């Protein structure tokens, strides 16, 4: 019965002896985050537009909606939007209910058909004009207008260098405060992602004046997490 106790004691002693050696495999380090940003003008816009039609029968509502969406698509083609840059989605046909006051029932009194088209605009200066075209062609709901910088990663290259410089500046402050010097970097890990500056929704109605849309600028940011080995200051 004493043999298991002896084995356990030997294993515990081996663990204690190995602990310092294991610690030596993990050099002391200073780990900080560096940040940098860059402003960029969007070069791509996306608009979501819809048409909806009401009728007494499902077929009438569906036929009217197909005709209305056809006019919208023809209008897009007419102003030079490539077919690859627009796509229809979310086709819907829903019954509409009324109220029977005498029985409390909700009879079907008609149907509503709706369809949406998503349009990519590769010249953001044309956004307002395209919105007017969509509305003029019969689109009665314009929403989810967004702008994007398509070459964000390339534009961030200078910011990446600045972020590393920022990280080193912070690390040197900590090194000086703790009486050590920085060695070689042990790891560099990038984090963060560019975020769109503008993303909104517009309720469309016939407009006497062109739609006012301002793409503005996007603030692209990058963060790097850097760890530096440290060593004692030479006396």
């Amino acid at each position: 019965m004493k043999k298991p106790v002896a084995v356990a004691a030997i294993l515990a002693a081996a663990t204690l002896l190995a602990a310092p050696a294991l610690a030596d495999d993990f050099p002391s380090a200073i780990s900080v985050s560096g940040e940098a940003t860059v402003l960029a003008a969007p070069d791509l816009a996306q608009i979501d537009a819809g048409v909806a039609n009401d009728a007494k029968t499902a077929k009438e509502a569906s036929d009217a909606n197909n005709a209305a969406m056809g006019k919208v698509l023809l209008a897009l083609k007419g102003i030079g939007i490539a077919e690859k840059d627009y796509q229809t989605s979310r086709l819907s046909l829903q019954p509409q209910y009324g109220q029977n006051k005498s029985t409390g029932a909700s009879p079907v009194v008609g149907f509503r058909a709706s369809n949406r088209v998503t349009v990519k605009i590769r010249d953001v200066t044309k956004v307002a004009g395209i919105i007017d075209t969509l509305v003029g062609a019969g689109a009665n709901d314009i929403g989810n207008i967004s702008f994007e910088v398509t070459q964000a990663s390339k534009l961030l290259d200078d910011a990446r260098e600045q972020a590393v410089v920022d990280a080193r500046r912070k690390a040197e402050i900590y090194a000086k405060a703790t009486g050590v010097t920085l060695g070689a970097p042990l790891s560099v890990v990038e984090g963060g992602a560019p975020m769109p500056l503008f993303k909104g929704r517009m309720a469309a109605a016939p407009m006497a004046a062109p739609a006012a849309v301002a793409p503005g600028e996007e603030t692209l940011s990058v963060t790097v997490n850097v760890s530096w080995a440290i060593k004692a200051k030479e006396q």
Side-chain angles (χ1 to χ4, degrees):
M1 297 298 293
K2 293 183 178 180
K3 187 174 181 181
V5 176
V7 172
I10 293 172
L11 289 174
T15 301
L16 291 172
L17 290 173
L22 184 62
D24 290 340
D25 293 335
F26 294 87
S28 298
I30 290 178
S31 299
V32 296
S33 295
E35 301 171 335
T37 61
V38 62
L39 295 177
D43 58 354
L44 179 69
Q46 186 165 290
I47 298 176
D48 184 53
V51 293
N53 299 88
D54 296 327
K56 290 184 178 181
T57 69
K59 185 178 186 308
E60 289 173 341
S62 181
D63 288 347
N65 190 253
N66 288 337
M69 180 55 76
K71 291 180 180 179
V72 170
L73 298 182
L74 281 175
L76 290 173
K77 187 175 182 179
I79 59 174
I81 303 297
E83 291 186 8
K84 68 177 182 177
D85 286 335
Y86 58 85
Q87 181 180 37
T88 57
S89 63
R90 285 185 280 171
L91 177 63
S92 173
L93 182 62
Q94 299 290 335
Q96 303 297 296
Y97 297 95
Q99 182 67 41
N100 189 320
K101 296 181 180 180
S102 61
T103 65
S106 300
V108 175
V109 296
F111 291 84
R112 168 168 290 187
S114 62
N115 198 355
R116 303 195 71 81
V117 60
T118 300
V119 187
K120 287 184 178 179
I121 304 171
R122 301 183 185 278
D123 182 351
V124 296
T125 64
K126 297 181 178 180
V127 171
I130 291 174
I131 291 175
D132 292 335
T133 296
L134 289 167
V135 173
N140 47 26
D141 180 30
I142 306 292
N144 298 325
I145 303 173
S146 61
F147 294 94
E148 179 184 345
V149 176
T150 59
Q151 299 296 323
S153 183
K154 184 177 180 180
L155 293 172
L156 280 171
D157 285 348
D158 288 341
R160 290 184 172 98
E161 294 183 12
Q162 295 170 20
V164 173
V165 171
D166 183 51
R168 185 172 186 90
R169 177 187 63 81
K170 294 177 182 177
E172 287 175 344
I173 292 173
Y174 288 119
K176 181 179 180 181
T178 54
V180 297
T181 58
L182 294 183
L186 301 175
S187 67
V188 180
V189 180
E190 181 177 314
M195 297 296 291
L197 177 71
F198 174 84
K199 193 169 186 178
R201 183 175 181 84
M202 292 178 58
M207 301 178 188
V213 178
E217 286 184 319
E218 288 190 18
T219 301
L220 308 177
S221 63
V222 64
T223 301
V224 290
N225 302 308
V226 188
S227 293
W228 274 276
I230 59 175
K231 54 187 177 181
K233 283 186 176 180
E234 295 180 1
Q235 300 298 327

